């Protein structure tokens, strides 16, 4: 399939109230069914601010089993839509800030956030998965969670692994920076990007809304404002993301000078 519909749901999760958050998402079932892919914010079912592991543990879920996974599998099946959502994952005593992917046919994929932001380092365990690209109906989707935007290497690896779209589940707090950064990630990799952000405040953190979908040329195809609950969907043509030419003599993949980039792969100064 070369043309398909993708969107985001921007909302304000209720802190520590999974039931309320799943009910809100369920309210959009009919609209979700109009899209092939829907992206939800980071930690969409629990809210964001937890100070300790013990505080978050009761709200986290082993994936993909448990009531939150059951809800999303059912939603994906009922709507025939790929659902990509942020979720707090537990594995034994470990906690991960995870992006879970629920397929309409019951398949499941996940990516654990590798660039933890600020006090997330006190709550979540360090993940060791490489940036991941998943596939659905011939659409290749690169997975990213919020602060991953600040590491261009992450989006570049996803592009090199063949991603047409960056699915970016977010709880952005630095005003406008993540949205601007993702526009650049789209331009420099010639890929679509979908940033699904949240809005509202939680314990002193103000989230910036302004979810957006950006084309490979950097055009903002749709966006939400700073504090609206909304689901937006656009039509996407994959061929736009397959052409990496910037001019007849410039190609974003083949013009790279990898022999000069060795420093990127080392932490030494
Ligand atoms: C963030 O990574 N949630 C800012």
């Amino acid at each position: 399939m070369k043309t398909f519909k993708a969107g985001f749901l921007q909302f304000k999760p209720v802190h520590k109230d999974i039931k309320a958050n799943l009910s809100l998402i369920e309210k959009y079932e009919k609209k979700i069914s109009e899209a092939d892919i829907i992206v939800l914010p980071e930690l969409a079912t629990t809210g964001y601010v937890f100070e300790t592991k013990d505080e978050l543990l009761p709200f986290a879920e082993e994936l993909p089993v448990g009531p939150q996974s059951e809800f999303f599998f059912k939603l994906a099946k009922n709507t025939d839509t790929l659902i990509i959502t942020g979720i707090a994952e537990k594995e034994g005593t470990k906690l991960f800030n995870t992006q879970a992917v629920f397929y309409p046919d019951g398949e499941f994929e996940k990516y654990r956030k590798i660039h933890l932001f600020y006090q997330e380092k006190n709550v979540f365990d360090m993940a060791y998965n490489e940036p991941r690209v998943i596939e659905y109906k011939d659409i290749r989707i690169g997975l990213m969670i919020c602060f991953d935007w600040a590491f261009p290497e992450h989006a570049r690896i996803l592009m090199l692994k063949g991603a047409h779209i960056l699915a970016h589940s977010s709880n952005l707090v630095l005003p406008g920076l993540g949205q601007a950064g993702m526009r650049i990630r789209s331009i420099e990799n010639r890929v679509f990007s979908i940033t699904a952000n949240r809005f509202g405040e939680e314990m002193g953190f103000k989230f910036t809304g302004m979810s957006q979908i950006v084309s490979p040329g950097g055009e903002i195809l749709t966006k939400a404002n700073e504090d609206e609950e909304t689901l937006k969907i656009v039509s996407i043509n994959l061929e736009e993301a397959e052409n990496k030419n910037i001019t007849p003599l410039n190609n974003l993949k083949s013009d790279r000078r990898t022999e000069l980039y060795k420093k990127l792969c080392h932490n030494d100064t």
Side-chain angles (χ1 to χ4, degrees), residues 103-119:
Y103 288 69
D105 67 359
E107 262 188 78
F108 175 78
E109 298 276 3
K110 71 181 178 191
Y111 155 71
R112 293 169 170 169
K113 187 176 187 180
I114 56 175
H115 302 105
L116 295 176
F117 181 71
Y118 196 34
Q119 291 160 348

Side-chain angles (χ1 to χ4, degrees), residues 42 48 113 115 117 120 145-148 170-173:
E42 178 182 18
Y48 180 74
K113 187 176 187 180
H115 302 105
F117 181 71
E120 288 173 33
I145 305 177
C146 207
F147 193 47
D148 287 335
S170 292
N171 280 188
L172 293 163
V173 290

Side-chain angles (χ1 to χ4, degrees), residues 42-195:
E42 178 182 18
L43 296 171
T45 62
T46 54
Y48 180 74
V49 183
F50 292 86
E51 283 174 357
T52 64
K53 283 184 188 293
D54 284 347
E55 190 189 357
L56 176 58
L57 207 54
F59 302 95
E61 178 160 303
E62 305 246 358
L63 295 176
V65 289
Q68 298 180 59
S69 297
E70 250 172 59
F71 169 87
F72 285 115
F73 275 128
K74 188 159 159 241
L75 182 67
K77 183 164 184 243
N78 289 349
T79 55
D80 195 23
T81 300
L82 187 78
I83 309 287
I84 302 177
T85 185
I87 198 163
E89 179 190 3
K90 103 177 141 191
E91 187 182 68
T93 56
K94 292 195 166 170
L95 286 172
F96 298 99
N97 185 342
T98 294
Q99 204 178 25
V101 184
F102 297 91
Y103 288 69
D105 67 359
E107 262 188 78
F108 175 78
E109 298 276 3
K110 71 181 178 191
Y111 155 71
R112 293 169 170 169
K113 187 176 187 180
I114 56 175
H115 302 105
L116 295 176
F117 181 71
Y118 196 34
Q119 291 160 348
E120 288 173 33
K121 292 185 177 185
N122 299 331
V123 175
F124 294 105
D125 288 88
M126 190 56 78
Y128 290 93
N129 47 192
E130 280 185 23
R132 291 208 60 197
V133 174
I134 54 124
E135 203 159 329
Y136 177 63
K137 295 185 179 176
D138 299 331
I139 308 159
R140 291 187 298 274
I141 304 158
L143 300 177
M144 293 179 70
I145 305 177
C146 207
F147 193 47
D148 287 335
W149 74 264
F151 299 86
E153 300 90 335
H154 191 115
R156 176 51 56 98
I157 289 169
L158 294 174
M159 179 273 259
L160 293 172
K161 287 184 172 182
H164 297 102
I165 306 177
L166 309 177
H168 182 220
S169 293
S170 292
N171 280 188
L172 293 163
V173 290
L174 304 173
L177 294 192
Q179 291 85 348
M182 285 308 290
R183 189 160 171 240
I184 302 297
R185 299 292 89 82
S186 271
I187 293 168
E188 68 198 1
N189 292 298
R190 284 203 62 81
V191 290
F192 291 93
S193 63
I194 303 173
T195 293

